[in-house]
Amino acid sequence: MELTIDKLSKHYGDSIAVDTFSIVLQPGIYGLLGANGSGKTTLMRMICDILKSTSGEVKYNNTNIKKLGEDYRDILGYLPQHFGYYPDFKAYDFLMYFASLKGLPHFKAKEKSLELLEIVNLTEVKNKKIKSFSGGMKQRLGIAQAMLNDPKILILDEPTAGLDPKERVRFRNLISTFGKDRIIILSTHIVSDVEYIADEIIVMKSGQLLNKGNVTQITKSIEGFVWECTVPSKEVKYLNETYTVSNLKNVGDQVSLRIIADKKPCEGAVNTPPNLEDLYLYYFEEGPAL
């Protein structure tokens, strides 16, 4: 099983959302990491064949997905970033409705809907209307919807938005169990959601593939750019305004800092091994959600 994205681009007038993006994916979990506006959602919509590309193609097992048509949709599961819900539907009825749209036989649809409600921890509210659900509950229902047809390719666009920390851990564990025999693309700007479960991290910026590899491989690219130092509190303002500070902690009358910088930021600063959060800050110069 192989998903090939070959020189895929999407232009909106003079604006380029995705720029000649190429990668080959095999079964496993891929964390698509990037800041908001980096082109992640546009890329995923083209992979799902719901947005026409300007150029390039997406192939599944060496066949263009447009030629596969319905056969491709049969093996695809998708949770968009902004998923539409029918507020007066009950959770169970909502899944049964989507199962029918995906062509599942009634008995199989019932069995799968109940199984997924249990997995996403919504069994107790399966007969309650969606309009009474919290944002996190709606998101979990959306994840269940994406998994109804037991997809070979599972596309999840910001799937943990609205989930509390306990629910996010439960979700990550769930996805980990599914990554052995399918291709899972998990798009997020939340570093910790992919750090623990992704087999490979794909870093996207300004519509382009910036870096890819496992956490060890891609963080190696910024070795020598992460520093730790302890300074008097009066120096903190200057360092904070001049460099990217990923962590700040008061230690008595001094302050311990973790700084991402191309050069030594201050006297006494020493290099420290980088992590995925450091990589995100180095590329995007903004605080990632944790």
Side-chain angles (χ1 to χ4, degrees):
M1 180 168 49
E2 190 171 87
L3 185 68
T4 304
I5 301 160
D6 186 17
K7 298 178 182 177
L8 203 62
S9 295
K10 182 62 180 178
H11 299 180
Y12 295 99
D14 293 332
S15 176
I16 302 175
V18 175
D19 188 4
T20 56
F21 193 102
S22 296
I23 198 168
V24 176
L25 307 178
Q26 295 174 332
I29 302 172
Y30 297 86
L32 181 58
L33 193 64
N36 290 331
S38 60
K40 304 190 305 295
T41 294
T42 301
L43 175 66
M44 299 180 94
R45 293 183 70 198
M46 288 190 289
I47 293 173
C48 292
D49 199 26
I50 57 177
L51 180 65
K52 185 179 179 181
S53 64
T54 303
S55 60
E57 63 179 340
V58 180
K59 295 182 286 186
Y60 177 67
N61 290 342
N62 293 318
T63 301
N64 190 300
I65 60 172
K66 295 187 182 301
K67 292 182 180 179
L68 290 171
E70 199 64 40
D71 289 339
Y72 181 66
R73 283 181 280 279
D74 285 345
I75 55 99
L76 182 70
Y78 177 45
L79 175 62
Q81 186 174 0
H82 303 291
F83 185 64
Y85 297 88
Y86 301 99
D88 288 321
F89 267 55
K90 296 174 183 178
Y92 172 74
D93 294 339
F94 177 82
L95 289 184
M96 288 295 289
Y97 171 69
F98 266 84
S100 68
L101 292 179
K102 295 184 179 188
L104 271 68
H106 182 78
F107 175 78
K108 180 66 176 177
K110 181 178 179 180
E111 180 182 61
K112 197 67 179 177
S113 295
L114 292 173
E115 175 190 337
L116 288 168
L117 284 166
E118 178 68 26
I119 288 172
V120 300
N121 200 27
L122 291 175
T123 298
E124 292 184 3
V125 294
K126 67 179 182 180
N127 292 318
K128 290 190 176 181
K129 291 185 177 181
I130 299 173
K131 65 182 178 183
S132 69
F133 284 10
S134 67
M137 292 166 72
K138 290 177 182 176
Q139 199 70 351
R140 281 184 276 149
L141 186 62
I143 293 168
Q145 167 275 143
M147 293 161 51
L148 275 167
N149 57 328
D150 196 23
K152 293 295 183 185
I153 299 173
L154 182 59
I155 309 289
L156 304 170
D157 193 357
E158 301 288 352
T160 57
L163 301 188
D164 64 33
K166 184 177 179 180
E167 289 172 327
R168 277 169 49 197
V169 170
R170 184 185 180 97
F171 166 77
R172 292 200 302 257
N173 292 341
L174 174 65
I175 294 304
S176 291
T177 65
F178 290 154
K180 293 180 181 179
D181 58 352
R182 72 191 77 207
I183 296 168
I184 299 176
I185 305 175
L186 167 59
S187 165
T188 186
H189 63 281
I190 302 176
V191 170
S192 58
D193 280 347
V194 296
E195 186 168 17
Y196 300 112
I197 65 169
D199 299 304
E200 186 163 289
I201 306 293
I202 302 166
V203 184
M204 190 174 186
K205 184 176 183 179
S206 301
Q208 296 182 323
L209 175 63
L210 197 61
N211 203 341
K212 67 182 179 72
N214 61 42
V215 173
T216 301
Q217 290 169 335
I218 66 170
T219 54
K220 192 175 181 63
S221 66
I222 61 165
E223 281 185 358
F225 298 153
V226 184
W227 308 82
E228 288 185 346
C229 58
T230 300
V231 300
S233 56
K234 64 182 181 181
E235 296 182 20
V236 172
K237 185 175 186 295
Y238 166 77
L239 292 170
N240 215 12
E241 291 175 349
T242 307
Y243 301 101
T244 300
V245 176
S246 67
N247 194 48
L248 184 154
K249 182 180 180 181
N250 290 307
V251 182
D253 58 353
Q254 293 192 308
V255 181
S256 175
L257 301 173
R258 186 180 181 94
I259 297 173
I260 293 91
D262 292 340
K263 60 182 181 180
K264 191 173 184 177
C266 63
E267 191 67 32
V270 295
N271 279 130
T272 189
N275 57 37
L276 195 58
E277 180 183 332
D278 296 325
L279 181 92
Y280 188 104
L281 289 166
Y282 181 81
Y283 283 141
F284 304 111
E285 297 181 355
E286 61 178 68
L290 301 175

